[in-house]
Amino acid sequence: MTLPLVLTRSENIVWAVAPEQPYRPASILEQIGNTPLLDLSFLVDRPGVELYAKAEWFNPGGSVKDRAALRMIEDAEQTGRLTPGQTIIDATSGNTGIGYALIGAAKGYAVHLVMPANVTVERKALARAYGAQIIESDPLEGSDGAIRLAREIVAAQPGGYFYPDQYNNDSNWRAHYDTTGPEILCQTNSRVTHFVAGLGTTGTFMGVGRRLKETSPAIQLVALQPADELQVIEGLKHLESSLVPGIFDPSLVDRSLPIEAGDAWEMTRRLAREAGLLVGFSAGAAVHGALQVANRLDSGVVVTLLPDGGAKYLSLGLFE
Ligand code: PMP
């Protein structure tokens, strides 16, 4: 934990002096989680309604998926499913892979990532920069094709790999049950009334949703999905036309909102220009969906989550 410096004032000069406890240098992995909650209430048309968003690009790997990647790796270490010398392999559209790559580098594991060949160049370059090896799957088969290829590679050499299988791994949603959910409760003083999030592996929605429902069953959970299988919002899945993640429990969803990719892109551009928030397109989708919820309430505290930053989407040219 970072200790605050104590400020003292003398002759109009403010001095920063050492706190009573000595500063302890932290590891990069300890910086995962505890992200800021930003106030976006100025976007809401209704005066009695507040809108907040978790700034997940503050994680060291730049996305919400650092949380799940760390938890899956550390749970596997503790249960002996991951041992020194093994290679971590998984299918990922990018962000979980960047998380594995960063954590693998920090802990000394090799990392192999199976990604559809059309994933943005920045995502692949980032994972490679941390030393991960990229295996490209058929772009026409999307994230499901990457999952199938990862399974084939692991089946061919079972002992050599640790395959977290983020779509079917309970540690994925538990990361959010134990960190993101409690952070939202703490940062809103438990005033949150609605949680709105997109579905990818569904780990974020399941983990935060379960924690909030346990705290108060009245909290409404709103799930966002691309409106149909042709709408591409990186990181999100159209569940009706995809392999449904094993960790997904549809009974937790109070309401499902379809999002058009064009609306997500427009909101993403607006957030950069009007709020100084350079975020990814699933974050634009999240704010667009959260505003649809917020603008129909008389009072409430709506919380959403901005899964990653916008820098790794610049090559798509959609910000111009
Ligand atoms: N947005 C982005 C940019 C992502 O990479 C992901 C992960 N696929 C998500 C949203 C969805 O998060 P989750 O996997 O926890 O459902």
Side-chain angles (χ1 to χ4, degrees), residues 107-123:
K107 285 179 175 276
Y109 297 105
V111 174
H112 291 182
L113 305 171
V114 188
M115 294 186 186
N118 57 344
V119 161
T120 64
V121 287
E122 291 95 333
R123 285 190 182 206

PDB file of all heavy atoms in Angstrom, residues 107-123:
ATOM      1  N   LYS A 107       6.637 -13.101 -12.673  1.00  0.00           N
ATOM      2  CA  LYS A 107       6.778 -14.306 -11.852  1.00  0.00           C
ATOM      3  C   LYS A 107       7.706 -15.345 -12.481  1.00  0.00           C
ATOM      4  O   LYS A 107       7.997 -16.367 -11.845  1.00  0.00           O
ATOM      5  CB  LYS A 107       5.400 -14.960 -11.640  1.00  0.00           C
ATOM      6  CG  LYS A 107       4.502 -14.245 -10.637  1.00  0.00           C
ATOM      7  CD  LYS A 107       3.176 -14.973 -10.545  1.00  0.00           C
ATOM      8  CE  LYS A 107       2.256 -14.392  -9.482  1.00  0.00           C
ATOM      9  NZ  LYS A 107       2.522 -14.906  -8.127  1.00  0.00           N
ATOM     10  N   GLY A 108       8.122 -15.153 -13.763  1.00  0.00           N
ATOM     11  CA  GLY A 108       9.065 -16.072 -14.386  1.00  0.00           C
ATOM     12  C   GLY A 108       8.446 -17.252 -15.118  1.00  0.00           C
ATOM     13  O   GLY A 108       9.060 -18.312 -15.198  1.00  0.00           O
ATOM     14  N   TYR A 109       7.225 -17.095 -15.661  1.00  0.00           N
ATOM     15  CA  TYR A 109       6.613 -18.151 -16.491  1.00  0.00           C
ATOM     16  C   TYR A 109       6.627 -17.718 -17.962  1.00  0.00           C
ATOM     17  O   TYR A 109       6.395 -16.535 -18.262  1.00  0.00           O
ATOM     18  CB  TYR A 109       5.143 -18.373 -16.121  1.00  0.00           C
ATOM     19  CG  TYR A 109       4.915 -18.868 -14.720  1.00  0.00           C
ATOM     20  CD1 TYR A 109       4.434 -18.004 -13.733  1.00  0.00           C
ATOM     21  CD2 TYR A 109       5.161 -20.193 -14.379  1.00  0.00           C
ATOM     22  CE1 TYR A 109       4.215 -18.447 -12.439  1.00  0.00           C
ATOM     23  CE2 TYR A 109       4.936 -20.643 -13.087  1.00  0.00           C
ATOM     24  CZ  TYR A 109       4.469 -19.762 -12.120  1.00  0.00           C
ATOM     25  OH  TYR A 109       4.247 -20.205 -10.850  1.00  0.00           O
ATOM     26  N   ALA A 110       6.829 -18.697 -18.882  1.00  0.00           N
ATOM     27  CA  ALA A 110       6.622 -18.419 -20.303  1.00  0.00           C
ATOM     28  C   ALA A 110       5.115 -18.336 -20.555  1.00  0.00           C
ATOM     29  O   ALA A 110       4.330 -19.002 -19.870  1.00  0.00           O
ATOM     30  CB  ALA A 110       7.234 -19.530 -21.151  1.00  0.00           C
ATOM     31  N   VAL A 111       4.703 -17.509 -21.531  1.00  0.00           N
ATOM     32  CA  VAL A 111       3.273 -17.313 -21.817  1.00  0.00           C
ATOM     33  C   VAL A 111       3.030 -17.448 -23.321  1.00  0.00           C
ATOM     34  O   VAL A 111       3.714 -16.802 -24.123  1.00  0.00           O
ATOM     35  CB  VAL A 111       2.820 -15.909 -21.323  1.00  0.00           C
ATOM     36  CG1 VAL A 111       1.381 -15.633 -21.732  1.00  0.00           C
ATOM     37  CG2 VAL A 111       2.989 -15.780 -19.813  1.00  0.00           C
ATOM     38  N   HIS A 112       2.092 -18.317 -23.706  1.00  0.00           N
ATOM     39  CA  HIS A 112       1.658 -18.449 -25.103  1.00  0.00           C
ATOM     40  C   HIS A 112       0.199 -18.014 -25.199  1.00  0.00           C
ATOM     41  O   HIS A 112      -0.631 -18.472 -24.406  1.00  0.00           O
ATOM     42  CB  HIS A 112       1.782 -19.908 -25.580  1.00  0.00           C
ATOM     43  CG  HIS A 112       3.199 -20.379 -25.724  1.00  0.00           C
ATOM     44  ND1 HIS A 112       3.531 -21.636 -26.168  1.00  0.00           N
ATOM     45  CD2 HIS A 112       4.380 -19.739 -25.493  1.00  0.00           C
ATOM     46  CE1 HIS A 112       4.850 -21.754 -26.195  1.00  0.00           C
ATOM     47  NE2 HIS A 112       5.395 -20.624 -25.791  1.00  0.00           N
ATOM     48  N   LEU A 113      -0.103 -17.146 -26.174  1.00  0.00           N
ATOM     49  CA  LEU A 113      -1.460 -16.606 -26.291  1.00  0.00           C
ATOM     50  C   LEU A 113      -2.043 -16.921 -27.657  1.00  0.00           C
ATOM     51  O   LEU A 113      -1.405 -16.649 -28.677  1.00  0.00           O
ATOM     52  CB  LEU A 113      -1.432 -15.085 -26.104  1.00  0.00           C
ATOM     53  CG  LEU A 113      -0.787 -14.616 -24.793  1.00  0.00           C
ATOM     54  CD1 LEU A 113      -0.610 -13.101 -24.806  1.00  0.00           C
ATOM     55  CD2 LEU A 113      -1.634 -15.046 -23.602  1.00  0.00           C
ATOM     56  N   VAL A 114      -3.248 -17.495 -27.677  1.00  0.00           N
ATOM     57  CA  VAL A 114      -3.925 -17.776 -28.942  1.00  0.00           C
ATOM     58  C   VAL A 114      -4.937 -16.651 -29.184  1.00  0.00           C
ATOM     59  O   VAL A 114      -5.835 -16.431 -28.366  1.00  0.00           O
ATOM     60  CB  VAL A 114      -4.638 -19.145 -28.913  1.00  0.00           C
ATOM     61  CG1 VAL A 114      -5.154 -19.491 -30.303  1.00  0.00           C
ATOM     62  CG2 VAL A 114      -3.692 -20.233 -28.411  1.00  0.00           C
ATOM     63  N   MET A 115      -4.731 -15.923 -30.273  1.00  0.00           N
ATOM     64  CA  MET A 115      -5.589 -14.761 -30.585  1.00  0.00           C
ATOM     65  C   MET A 115      -6.038 -14.835 -32.033  1.00  0.00           C
ATOM     66  O   MET A 115      -5.259 -15.234 -32.897  1.00  0.00           O
ATOM     67  CB  MET A 115      -4.783 -13.454 -30.493  1.00  0.00           C
ATOM     68  CG  MET A 115      -4.291 -13.083 -29.151  1.00  0.00           C
ATOM     69  SD  MET A 115      -3.536 -11.443 -29.271  1.00  0.00           S
ATOM     70  CE  MET A 115      -2.889 -11.320 -27.612  1.00  0.00           C
ATOM     71  N   PRO A 116      -7.286 -14.396 -32.318  1.00  0.00           N
ATOM     72  CA  PRO A 116      -7.686 -14.281 -33.718  1.00  0.00           C
ATOM     73  C   PRO A 116      -6.697 -13.344 -34.433  1.00  0.00           C
ATOM     74  O   PRO A 116      -6.260 -12.338 -33.850  1.00  0.00           O
ATOM     75  CB  PRO A 116      -9.078 -13.649 -33.643  1.00  0.00           C
ATOM     76  CG  PRO A 116      -9.558 -13.921 -32.245  1.00  0.00           C
ATOM     77  CD  PRO A 116      -8.338 -13.953 -31.385  1.00  0.00           C
ATOM     78  N   ALA A 117      -6.344 -13.672 -35.685  1.00  0.00           N
ATOM     79  CA  ALA A 117      -5.303 -12.918 -36.398  1.00  0.00           C
ATOM     80  C   ALA A 117      -5.654 -11.441 -36.583  1.00  0.00           C
ATOM     81  O   ALA A 117      -4.769 -10.609 -36.771  1.00  0.00           O
ATOM     82  CB  ALA A 117      -5.040 -13.571 -37.748  1.00  0.00           C
ATOM     83  N   ASN A 118      -6.962 -11.077 -36.497  1.00  0.00           N
ATOM     84  CA  ASN A 118      -7.355  -9.688 -36.750  1.00  0.00           C
ATOM     85  C   ASN A 118      -7.387  -8.814 -35.494  1.00  0.00           C
ATOM     86  O   ASN A 118      -7.839  -7.676 -35.541  1.00  0.00           O
ATOM     87  CB  ASN A 118      -8.728  -9.656 -37.437  1.00  0.00           C
ATOM     88  CG  ASN A 118      -9.793 -10.372 -36.626  1.00  0.00           C
ATOM     89  OD1 ASN A 118      -9.489 -11.131 -35.711  1.00  0.00           O
ATOM     90  ND2 ASN A 118     -11.045 -10.138 -36.963  1.00  0.00           N
ATOM     91  N   VAL A 119      -6.885  -9.325 -34.358  1.00  0.00           N
ATOM     92  CA  VAL A 119      -6.791  -8.507 -33.139  1.00  0.00           C
ATOM     93  C   VAL A 119      -5.854  -7.322 -33.432  1.00  0.00           C
ATOM     94  O   VAL A 119      -4.900  -7.464 -34.207  1.00  0.00           O
ATOM     95  CB  VAL A 119      -6.253  -9.401 -31.986  1.00  0.00           C
ATOM     96  CG1 VAL A 119      -5.695  -8.578 -30.850  1.00  0.00           C
ATOM     97  CG2 VAL A 119      -7.356 -10.319 -31.482  1.00  0.00           C
ATOM     98  N   THR A 120      -6.127  -6.147 -32.833  1.00  0.00           N
ATOM     99  CA  THR A 120      -5.355  -4.946 -33.200  1.00  0.00           C
ATOM    100  C   THR A 120      -3.856  -5.146 -32.980  1.00  0.00           C
ATOM    101  O   THR A 120      -3.438  -5.849 -32.060  1.00  0.00           O
ATOM    102  CB  THR A 120      -5.799  -3.691 -32.407  1.00  0.00           C
ATOM    103  OG1 THR A 120      -5.525  -3.894 -31.036  1.00  0.00           O
ATOM    104  CG2 THR A 120      -7.265  -3.379 -32.605  1.00  0.00           C
ATOM    105  N   VAL A 121      -3.068  -4.491 -33.856  1.00  0.00           N
ATOM    106  CA  VAL A 121      -1.598  -4.650 -33.794  1.00  0.00           C
ATOM    107  C   VAL A 121      -1.060  -4.241 -32.431  1.00  0.00           C
ATOM    108  O   VAL A 121      -0.108  -4.835 -31.921  1.00  0.00           O
ATOM    109  CB  VAL A 121      -0.876  -3.837 -34.899  1.00  0.00           C
ATOM    110  CG1 VAL A 121      -1.075  -4.467 -36.247  1.00  0.00           C
ATOM    111  CG2 VAL A 121      -1.285  -2.388 -34.901  1.00  0.00           C
ATOM    112  N   GLU A 122      -1.694  -3.224 -31.809  1.00  0.00           N
ATOM    113  CA  GLU A 122      -1.183  -2.755 -30.523  1.00  0.00           C
ATOM    114  C   GLU A 122      -1.283  -3.854 -29.467  1.00  0.00           C
ATOM    115  O   GLU A 122      -0.399  -4.018 -28.629  1.00  0.00           O
ATOM    116  CB  GLU A 122      -1.975  -1.535 -30.024  1.00  0.00           C
ATOM    117  CG  GLU A 122      -1.768  -0.267 -30.830  1.00  0.00           C
ATOM    118  CD  GLU A 122      -2.838  -0.084 -31.889  1.00  0.00           C
ATOM    119  OE1 GLU A 122      -3.414  -1.090 -32.355  1.00  0.00           O
ATOM    120  OE2 GLU A 122      -3.098   1.071 -32.259  1.00  0.00           O
ATOM    121  N   ARG A 123      -2.401  -4.617 -29.486  1.00  0.00           N
ATOM    122  CA  ARG A 123      -2.577  -5.666 -28.476  1.00  0.00           C
ATOM    123  C   ARG A 123      -1.509  -6.730 -28.621  1.00  0.00           C
ATOM    124  O   ARG A 123      -0.923  -7.181 -27.648  1.00  0.00           O
ATOM    125  CB  ARG A 123      -3.946  -6.304 -28.625  1.00  0.00           C
ATOM    126  CG  ARG A 123      -5.043  -5.419 -28.117  1.00  0.00           C
ATOM    127  CD  ARG A 123      -6.322  -6.197 -28.067  1.00  0.00           C
ATOM    128  NE  ARG A 123      -7.381  -5.324 -27.619  1.00  0.00           N
ATOM    129  CZ  ARG A 123      -8.467  -5.748 -27.008  1.00  0.00           C
ATOM    130  NH1 ARG A 123      -8.642  -7.020 -26.772  1.00  0.00           N
ATOM    131  NH2 ARG A 123      -9.380  -4.892 -26.625  1.00  0.00           N
TER     132      ARG A 123
END
